C-alpha cells in the first residue's frame, strides 16, 4: 500500500504553488545541485528557495500537474509537468504582463534518502506573448500545446 505522503518530486512542485520557501528544507538536500539554474540563481538549496520565491511573487493562480513520472535506477526520476497561472508580478527580471501562462517542463531529479540531490530541467513557455524569448532558464517551444 502506498503512503499518502507525496514524493519529494511531487512535493517540490507543490512548493512553487504555495510559495513555501521554508518547505525546501524537507524536499531538497542542503547541497542540491541544480545543473541548469534559472537566470543567475545559485545552485544549492538557497537557489531553490529563490526560485520558489520568484514563482510565488511573479505568478498567481498557479496549478501544477504531473503529466508523467518514471522512476529509474540509482534514485533518478523523470518528471514531465505542466503549470498554468497568470503572470501578475515581476519574474525573472521581467515586469508583470497580466497574461495567462502555460508552461510545460521535464525534470530529471535524483532522490537519495528522501531528498532531491540533483536536478536537470527543461521548461517551455507555450504562450509566446507571456514572457520575452530572452527569459533566462526557459526554453521556448512555439509548438507546445
Amino acid at each position: 500500500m502506498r503512503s499518502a505522503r507525496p514524493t519529494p518530486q511531487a512535493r517540490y512542485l507543490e512548493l512553487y504553488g504555495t510559495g513555501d520557501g521554508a518547505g525546501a528544507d524537507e524536499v531538497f538536500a542542503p547541497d542540491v545541485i541544480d545543473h541548469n539554474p534559472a537566470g543567475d540563481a545559485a545552485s544549492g538549496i538557497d537557489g531553490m528557495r529563490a526560485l520558489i520565491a520568484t514563482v510565488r511573487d511573479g505568478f498567481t493562480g498557479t496549478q501544477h500537474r504531473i503529466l508523467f513520472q518514471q522512476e529509474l535506477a540509482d534514485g533518478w526520476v523523470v518528471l514531465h509537468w505542466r503549470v498554468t497561472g497568470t503572470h501578475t508580478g515581476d519574474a525573472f527580471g521581467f515586469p508583470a504582463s497580466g497574461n495567462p501562462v502555460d508552461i510545460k517542463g521535464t525534470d530529471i531529479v535524483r532522490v537519495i534518502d528522501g531528498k532531491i540531490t540533483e536536478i536537470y530541467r527543461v521548461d517551455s513557455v507555450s504562450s509566446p506573448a507571456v514572457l520575452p524569448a530572452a527569459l533566462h532558464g526557459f526554453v521556448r517551444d512555439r509548438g507546445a500545446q
Side-chain angles (χ1 to χ4, degrees), residues 21-83:
D25 292 323
E26 67 187 64
V27 175
F28 297 102
D31 57 349
V32 61
I33 300 168
D34 187 348
H35 290 279
N36 52 337
D40 60 356
S43 189
I45 199 158
D46 289 336
M48 299 312 295
R49 284 189 196 108
L51 183 58
I52 291 165
T54 296
V55 173
R56 176 198 63 217
D57 296 344
F59 304 93
T60 56
T62 57
Q63 297 288 317
H64 295 78
R65 290 187 330 188
I66 295 174
L67 304 174
F68 171 83
Q69 180 174 312
Q70 179 67 50
E71 295 184 20
L72 306 172
D74 297 325
W76 289 100
V77 179
V78 175
L79 186 70
H80 184 57
W81 51 264
R82 180 181 188 185
V83 60

Side-chain angles (χ1 to χ4, degrees), residues 17 41 52-53 65-66 68 79 90 100 116 118 126 130 135 142 144:
I52 291 165
R65 290 187 330 188
I66 295 174
F68 171 83
L79 186 70
D90 291 349
I116 296 173
E118 291 185 68
S126 59
V130 177
L135 181 63
R142 293 181 188 263

